[in-house]
Amino acid sequence: MAVFKQLLNKIHLFSSRHESQTSDDEEEFKLPNMASLVIMISMNLLLQVSFFIVVSSSNKYAEYLGGNATFSGIIIGIPTAFAGLSLIPLTKYDKGVYKMPLHVSCFFAILGHVAYALAYRANFLYLILIGRCLNGVAFSMFMYCKRYCTDPRIVGIRRRTTLASWLVICQGMGMSLGPFLGGVLYNIGFSNSVFNGYTSPGWIMAGIYVVFWVLVTKYFEDIPQPPTMMELQSASDSNDIPMVVVEAKGRDAEASPNYSSAPTTRPPSPVDESFRAQLSLITRSQWGVIATMCWFAMLCFFILGSWEANLPVFGAAAGNLHWSPFAAGNFIALGGITCFPFLLANLLAARRIQDRKLLAVGTILGLAGLLIFVSILRTGTVNYGSLFACWWTVALGFNLATTVTLSLLSKQLPPEWNGRTSMAIQYSNYTGRVTGAIWGGSGVSVGMLNFVGLEIAMVGIGAVLFTTLWRDLKTKTG
């Protein structure tokens, strides 16, 4: 009988362990609602197209209205500065969910594209800038797309790099489709003071966002909101369970027998104490990893943004190229299209290869493209083929490197830090985009060797960071 009981206990223990293991596996591989996930990834694609659709013709549009190449770089990059500013109020009122930011993004995307299109009719240069600034508020959604794909409430730890790879695929598609559409629409022209080669990208994108907004309203399912302090207190009172929580913001704690009417210092809230406790648990090596990922998030978008802004200007100025906006758009798009199969392969590789190795491969590829560009500038062998080889390598390498910046941090830091790391990475992205676009627009005037030399130096700093912290960058695959 005793032997039989021991056997039953072992069976029960094995069953419990198996159920626990199954539960852990399900937690690591969980995914959000499919329709909502498709909407978020599609939103990322639309925002990428919105960002890049003006690249091929913004230089000519600005010149027509009295601007110059540097101003066109500002037009391309300035939205990300306003995206960063708009995140401050949005994150204060979003309650940790996503539907409200989606609605805000759709509204400002429509408004911004309409303003950009009306600048031609109004013959007012700065209306282009105003329109792009309004678009910038919509681009705040970039952060929410990243946060959604790494949110531990809905995405398992072994799915985050995979979903981040989808975002990078959309990034590559937007980088190809946007300039191509902008160039084609410019080439068609449409001899109309309202709808023409300069304004048609704005009108078409505004119409697309109207349709997409309807789909968001109908199909997007937000994640459940966490209970508020008042709701927790109410539940506690109904169950007669004492809770040590601070009352809702703006109210003092209730008086106690020892309470004195003399002024006292208000005790710190549990949220503040929790944040301090979490900060104390972050090790020096983890701070190094955070700094490294923020640097690469800024670096990749600085280089990609500078090349996208510079290619139309450099192509038009180069003696043997003489590119029109249509030719520049096709060139940029061709680089993105030919990178696309490799970005799809990265989607599969991300499930089996560590994030740090993906980062290293992307950085090495991108650096190779920069070094090749220096050599063809020095030897004077700039032509369509040699320039394309540089652009393709730069685009593929630094797009691959952007895959892991947030997903790696989300795997190393506590789940409660996902919102903060999303903000840190996104602000780094925005900094890279806006400064890169301005640097790219100024590339010809500052000298192309100086232009690419700064980028090589920045990659060198990144290489020192990730080689120093190589062991600390190790995380789970997937």
Side-chain angles (χ1 to χ4, degrees):
M1 190 67 178
V3 174
F4 182 68
K5 284 184 178 180
Q6 288 179 358
L7 183 61
L8 284 177
N9 287 336
K10 287 182 179 180
I11 292 173
H12 177 70
L13 181 62
F14 176 79
S15 177
S16 299
R17 286 178 178 173
H18 179 71
E19 289 176 2
S20 176
Q21 181 65 38
T22 303
S23 177
D24 290 343
D25 288 344
E26 289 177 356
E27 186 69 17
E28 287 190 349
F29 288 92
K30 68 182 177 181
L31 286 169
N33 170 272
M34 189 53 63
S36 301
L37 178 60
V38 169
I39 284 174
M40 292 298 283
I41 292 176
S42 301
M43 185 61 172
N44 186 69
L45 173 60
L46 283 179
L47 293 171
Q48 297 287 353
V49 173
S50 290
F51 186 86
F52 290 114
I53 198 168
V54 304
V55 165
S56 53
S57 60
S58 64
N59 185 34
K60 291 291 186 181
Y61 197 5
E63 284 181 5
Y64 176 81
L65 295 175
N68 55 29
T70 301
F71 188 83
S72 74
I74 295 172
I75 289 170
I76 295 169
I78 197 66
T80 52
F82 279 80
L85 292 173
S86 62
L87 279 177
I88 298 171
L90 276 174
T91 52
K92 184 177 180 180
Y93 296 107
D94 64 15
K95 298 180 181 178
V97 291
Y98 299 92
K99 182 165 275 191
M100 185 271 282
L102 267 169
H103 289 310
V104 171
S105 183
C106 289
F107 173 76
F108 277 95
I110 294 167
L111 205 60
H113 281 297
V114 169
Y116 183 87
L118 288 175
Y120 185 94
R121 179 74 175 180
N123 196 28
F124 182 40
L125 174 66
Y126 290 97
L127 191 54
I128 301 177
L129 200 60
I130 292 169
R132 291 291 284 174
C133 291
L134 292 170
N135 279 153
V137 180
F139 293 160
S140 63
M141 196 64 207
F142 279 130
M143 189 278 290
Y144 288 98
C145 292
K146 289 181 175 67
R147 194 175 85 180
Y148 188 86
C149 290
T150 57
D151 195 325
R153 295 171 293 179
I154 51 176
V155 181
I157 194 170
R158 290 187 179 274
R159 294 294 191 187
R160 295 174 195 171
T161 305
T162 303
L163 293 189
S165 299
W166 277 111
L167 295 182
V168 172
I169 286 173
C170 292
Q171 189 174 296
M173 290 175 66
M175 187 180 70
S176 304
L177 191 58
F180 176 74
L181 285 177
V184 168
L185 291 170
Y186 174 85
N187 196 50
I188 293 173
F190 304 107
S191 55
N192 188 300
S193 62
V194 176
F195 194 90
N196 54 53
Y198 296 133
T199 66
S200 50
W203 293 120
I204 289 172
M205 290 307 300
I208 291 172
Y209 274 107
V210 169
V211 175
F212 185 76
W213 198 359
V214 173
L215 297 176
V216 168
T217 304
K218 187 173 182 180
Y219 294 109
F220 185 78
E221 295 179 11
D222 218 334
I223 62 177
Q225 294 187 36
T228 63
M229 285 290 190
M230 293 296 291
E231 290 170 342
L232 289 171
Q233 183 65 53
S234 175
S236 172
D237 292 342
S238 64
N239 292 308
D240 296 320
I241 301 172
M243 291 184 66
V244 185
V245 296
V246 173
E247 291 285 342
K249 194 178 287 186
R251 296 180 59 187
D252 295 328
E254 293 185 6
S256 64
N258 297 325
Y259 180 76
S260 169
S261 59
T264 58
T265 304
R266 187 174 180 181
S269 70
V271 175
D272 293 334
E273 291 180 346
S274 174
F275 181 58
R276 290 195 189 97
Q278 291 172 15
L279 277 177
S280 66
L281 294 174
I282 303 298
T283 64
R284 187 176 298 179
S285 62
Q286 285 178 317
W287 281 117
V289 172
I290 292 171
T292 302
M293 291 302 102
C294 287
W295 177 261
F296 273 97
M298 182 278 296
L299 167 70
C300 292
F301 282 97
F302 177 87
I303 294 176
L304 290 171
S306 66
W307 276 68
E308 288 146 2
N310 179 260
L311 283 170
V313 180
F314 178 68
N320 58 338
L321 295 177
H322 294 298
W323 284 347
S324 67
F326 177 66
N330 285 344
F331 182 86
I332 296 170
L334 183 61
I337 291 169
T338 49
C339 287
F340 190 72
F342 296 90
L343 296 178
L344 280 176
N346 179 56
L347 184 65
L348 301 174
R351 301 176 184 179
R352 299 175 178 84
I353 300 176
Q354 291 178 16
D355 291 357
R356 60 179 180 170
K357 293 180 180 178
L358 290 175
L359 178 66
V361 169
T363 305
I364 292 168
L365 275 173
L367 178 60
L370 296 176
L371 293 174
I372 295 170
F373 190 48
V374 169
S375 69
I376 67 172
L377 286 173
R378 284 190 174 278
T379 56
T381 54
V382 177
N383 54 46
Y384 195 96
S386 63
L387 185 59
F388 179 77
C390 300
W391 166 232
W392 181 85
T393 313
V394 166
L396 176 60
F398 291 111
N399 270 303
L400 285 176
T402 61
T403 306
V404 305
T405 50
L406 181 56
S407 62
L408 189 149
L409 284 183
S410 73
K411 295 173 183 179
Q412 288 209 355
L413 297 175
E416 306 84 45
W417 276 67
N418 189 57
R420 299 184 187 102
T421 52
S422 300
M423 288 282 284
I425 293 297
Q426 195 58 55
Y427 272 116
S428 301
N429 289 346
Y430 289 153
T431 302
R433 276 192 188 273
V434 67
T435 54
I438 295 171
W439 181 243
S442 307
V444 173
S445 59
V446 301
M448 292 303 294
L449 284 174
N450 294 328
F451 167 78
V452 73
L454 175 65
E455 295 174 352
I456 291 172
M458 293 172 69
V459 174
I461 294 171
V464 170
L465 286 172
F466 83 65
T467 51
T468 304
L469 295 164
W470 181 255
R471 292 183 179 180
D472 300 307
L473 293 172
K474 187 176 182 179
T475 58
K476 290 185 176 182
T477 58

